Structure formats: structure tokens, C-alpha cells
Amino acid sequence: MEDLIQNLKDAGCGAQTIEKVCRLYGNGQIQDAIKMLRKHRCSLMDSLHESQWRVHCLDFLVWRMEKEKQL
């Protein structure tokens, strides 16, 4: 169970999610635990896409400023 808890922490899960996943897993409710993990994964992917968009915006701004500097 310690490995599961550490993996959940490494994945960025909060204390409440860790407790619930461990409880579900311990009670044999594997599908429900997987559902929670997939929900957390979707949240992480949303954050990743948002960060990618921000990087894209910054890249565009730098490109534009460099182009203006050349004029």
C-alpha cells in the first residue's frame, strides 16, 4: 500500500484523493479507483494543454518582437 500512496503523491494527487483511492482499492472496488485515477489524469491533461497554450502565446510574442526589431 505504501507504493500506491507514493505513486499517487508523485502523480500530484491530494490527500483526499489518495485516501479515497486507497479505500476503494482496499475494498476491492478497483473499477471505482480506476475511474478516480482517470478523472485526475484528465485534470492533469487539461493543465498541460493550458500550459502549452501559454507557451505558444509567449513564443508568438517573442517572434513578433524579434520581427519588429528587424524593421
Side-chain angles (χ1 to χ4, degrees):
M1 188 67 82
E2 289 178 32
D3 288 344
L4 174 62
I5 292 170
Q6 186 59 52
N7 195 279
L8 291 167
K9 286 179 182 179
D10 292 345
C13 294
Q16 187 176 17
T17 299
I18 292 171
E19 186 274 326
K20 191 166 184 181
V21 169
C22 287
R23 185 168 30 88
L24 291 169
Y25 184 78
N27 290 337
Q29 296 173 283
I30 308 300
Q31 283 304 117
D32 291 332
I34 290 170
K35 186 177 179 180
M36 283 199 68
L37 295 175
R38 288 191 172 154
K39 185 176 180 180
H40 183 69
R41 182 186 185 283
C42 285
S43 175
L44 290 174
M45 291 301 293
D46 287 344
S47 296
L48 174 64
H49 293 146
E50 186 175 321
S51 293
Q52 285 176 321
W53 174 251
R54 290 176 177 168
V55 168
H56 173 75
C57 290
L58 285 172
D59 287 345
F60 176 75
L61 183 59
V62 168
W63 173 82
R64 206 170 90 199
M65 287 179 169
E66 287 176 340
K67 189 174 180 180
E68 286 177 14
K69 183 178 146 187
Q70 293 174 0
L71 296 177

